[in-house]
Amino acid sequence: MVDERFYITTPIYYVNDVPHLGHAYTTIAADAISRFHRMRGRDVFFLTGTDEHGQKVAQAAAARGLSEQQHCDELHQNFRALWTGLDISNDAFIRTTDPEHKDQVRAALQKLWDDGWIYEQDYEGWYNVSDEMFVTDGDEIERLKAAGRVEFVKESNYFFKMSAFQDRLVSAIESGELTLRPESRRNEVLGFLRQPLGDLSISRPKSRLGWGVELPFATDHVCYVWVDALLNYCTGLRYLNEGTPADDQYGPFWPADYHLIGKDILTTHSVYWTTILMALELPLPRHIFAHGWWTFEGQKMSKSMGNVVDPNRLIAEFGSDALRYFVLRQMPFGQDGDFAAAGLVERINSDLANDLGNLASRVLNLVARDGGHFAPGEATEATQPLLDEFNAAAADFERDFADFGFAVALRRVWEVLSATNKLIQDTEPWRLVKERDEDAAAGHLYDEVMRSSGSILKSLAALLYPVMPRQMGVLWSALGGAGDLSDYRYTGGDRWLPVSPETLVEKGDALFPRIDAKSVPSFTERAEQGR
Ligand code: ME8
């Protein structure tokens, strides 16, 4: 076991929202990376959860005639259920209403207060409830006013001296202590930091909002929901660190290796969170990766736009593996991408049903029909180039996948699948098997083509497991892989996992059934209302 810890987080999603494809996307990516590192022997902690305080939640609970806690207890289940349906392997699920989280938020606030990083001041300005943020830009205020999305507030507030950390933040980004990815987002943040940084309002008076964590030093105020939420990345570690000494309260997993987020919440993470950590004298996360947006007809997918795709429906229709593969293959991580049901069906049919599924069926069915065993033997020049190609592709996959280059890494694997399919087409093993009684060379070639193709499929099952844990587990077992694929660990640098002559191969069901493109709905609310 490599003694390496790896800590990765997703945003904690607003409990009010009905989870959509955008939320699923970040969580699938974090899951794929977590599974990838676990299989390579790393000690992974993968945290996700729900953000449950703030004005939006209080308003929604009131509208339903429920207490805030009842409302959250009910709604956070939507996220848990989706993560189960998507085979998400998170190690913990944090809710900001967890009592232990609230205790630790209070402790962190008290420390900031004791150390002189918080002061009180009157404030007036426009507040955007749906983003839970004060808006200062004049044009933005006018636009949001017209849409009825801001309210004017005048109140006493507590402020965090964020401005004191501006220079340190710039040098942390420039020195690589904190890596912001992709490069364009790093430049965006550095550009933002060329203007003087203000201080951050971190409280709301209870007279306006009661639903939050009380400030320990001013109990007529609750903590600003973003400060409460960001602290989850540290407080979530308590699931691991019970019994850790108080002076090392977040244990060996802090700092996080990766905070995965969407680009909508880049500033809160790369500026608010990092400066709070500096004031708390805690190390900064190593990387923040802000990926792009799923759009529908060019507009960001979001509940307020009414154009969201429900991942539950996609799972019911196509299975979780197909959805996981599609989102990781379709859109380079970091860029935006437009969702179209036709694109999803095209990927399933061509990449999964055809290139991967048909190859697996052909190999398994031929071997099953012919006694059920792969013949022992060595590779000759007939298949050695393909095995070399696999090894080269596996090395590229390792490098690109670990670096969040999901689309490139998968495309590389599909080159190996194409080459394997070509080998089968060129050698026609269904013909060779009939000729082998008269022609020993045909028999040898048949054995070798089956053994090499089977070994490639078995090796690819392990490689593709982080993306499609369910069906790759089925393929692994069908080809004689020992135990559950989720328990498999690579021990050396080699990714080559040949089939064994001892394995009994049986005919199986199609891994990825073909979809009839004509019967597929569009899957977005808005598109369907217009149908
Ligand atoms: O912002 N495309 O929660 P949230 C891609 N509670 N990803 C998307 C997306 C889209 N169209 N829409 C949402 C919050 N996401 C806060 C976070 S963290 C301390 C607090 C994903 O429910 C993406 O990861 O609005 C984005 O950053 C996140 O959902 C926002 O989730």
Side-chain angles (χ1 to χ4, degrees), residues 11-14 17 20 22-23 25-26 51 226 229-230 232-233 261-265 269 291-294 300-301:
I12 48 171
Y13 305 108
Y14 286 128
D17 278 359
H20 62 69
H23 306 115
Y25 183 55
T26 320
D51 188 353
W226 264 104
L230 288 162
N232 95 87
Y233 298 132
I261 58 171
K263 62 183 179 177
D264 47 330
I265 53 177
H269 282 74
H291 65 65
W293 282 341
W294 281 97
K300 180 180 182 241
M301 203 178 280

Side-chain angles (χ1 to χ4, degrees), residues 219-292:
T219 51
D220 52 343
H221 282 71
V222 294
C223 177
Y224 172 41
V225 61
W226 264 104
V227 174
D228 163 14
L230 288 162
L231 279 163
N232 95 87
Y233 298 132
C234 284
T235 68
L237 291 172
R238 76 185 155 78
Y239 294 103
L240 286 178
N241 297 322
E242 274 167 41
T244 306
D247 61 351
D248 185 19
Q249 56 180 331
Y250 303 125
F253 272 85
W254 190 259
D257 291 278
Y258 270 94
H259 290 320
L260 291 196
I261 58 171
K263 62 183 179 177
D264 47 330
I265 53 177
L266 179 65
T267 310
T268 47
H269 282 74
S270 53
V271 181
Y272 298 4
W273 177 225
T274 50
T275 52
I276 291 170
L277 285 167
M278 287 175 189
L280 288 170
E281 298 166 54
L282 285 167
L284 301 186
R286 297 196 174 96
H287 306 84
I288 298 176
F289 201 134
H291 65 65

Side-chain angles (χ1 to χ4, degrees), residues 217-480:
F217 47 84
T219 51
D220 52 343
H221 282 71
V222 294
C223 177
Y224 172 41
V225 61
W226 264 104
V227 174
D228 163 14
L230 288 162
L231 279 163
N232 95 87
Y233 298 132
C234 284
T235 68
L237 291 172
R238 76 185 155 78
Y239 294 103
L240 286 178
N241 297 322
E242 274 167 41
T244 306
D247 61 351
D248 185 19
Q249 56 180 331
Y250 303 125
F253 272 85
W254 190 259
D257 291 278
Y258 270 94
H259 290 320
L260 291 196
I261 58 171
K263 62 183 179 177
D264 47 330
I265 53 177
L266 179 65
T267 310
T268 47
H269 282 74
S270 53
V271 181
Y272 298 4
W273 177 225
T274 50
T275 52
I276 291 170
L277 285 167
M278 287 175 189
L280 288 170
E281 298 166 54
L282 285 167
L284 301 186
R286 297 196 174 96
H287 306 84
I288 298 176
F289 201 134
H291 65 65
W293 282 341
W294 281 97
T295 58
F296 181 74
E297 293 174 350
Q299 273 175 328
K300 180 180 182 241
M301 203 178 280
S302 71
K303 193 166 100 173
S304 52
M305 296 300 303
N307 64 350
V308 295
V309 173
D310 177 358
N312 293 297
R313 288 185 56 200
L314 297 177
I315 298 167
E317 190 88 17
F318 308 117
S320 66
D321 277 352
L323 176 58
R324 293 168 62 106
Y325 172 77
F326 169 74
V327 294
L328 296 178
R329 172 66 184 83
Q330 195 73 3
M331 169 160 126
F333 206 65
Q335 294 173 25
D336 294 343
D338 209 49
F339 176 85
L344 169 58
V345 171
E346 165 69 20
R347 279 258 169 248
I348 295 175
N349 283 344
S350 89
D351 297 9
L352 298 182
N354 207 34
D355 299 344
L356 177 56
N358 270 355
L359 176 65
S361 303
R362 272 184 166 172
V363 172
L364 290 168
N365 291 343
L366 275 169
V367 176
R369 240 184 280 147
D370 182 41
H373 290 280
F374 292 101
E378 297 297 316
T380 69
E381 69 277 9
T383 63
Q384 190 58 49
L386 180 59
L387 308 193
D388 294 343
E389 166 72 355
F390 168 83
N391 281 322
D396 292 344
F397 180 92
E398 285 298 308
R399 183 196 59 219
D400 292 333
F401 203 92
D403 198 38
F404 295 84
F406 305 117
V408 179
L410 291 170
R411 200 181 315 132
R412 185 74 177 96
V413 161
W414 254 255
E415 288 172 11
V416 179
L417 283 171
S418 297
T420 315
N421 275 311
K422 182 164 184 323
L423 173 77
I424 302 257
Q425 268 145 27
D426 292 350
T427 55
E428 301 184 352
W430 48 90
R431 187 178 53 77
L432 296 173
V433 73
K434 291 189 195 139
E435 294 170 3
R436 73 170 159 197
D437 287 344
E438 294 87 55
D439 180 354
H444 285 135
L445 182 59
Y446 169 81
D447 287 343
E448 179 176 345
V449 167
M450 289 296 97
R451 186 173 59 245
S452 295
S453 313
S455 299
I456 285 197
L457 282 166
K458 186 178 165 202
S459 307
L460 287 184
L463 222 50
L464 294 175
Y465 159 82
V467 178
M468 296 180 282
R470 201 171 275 241
Q471 294 305 74
M472 291 307 98
V474 172
L475 181 59
W476 170 259
S477 301
L479 289 163

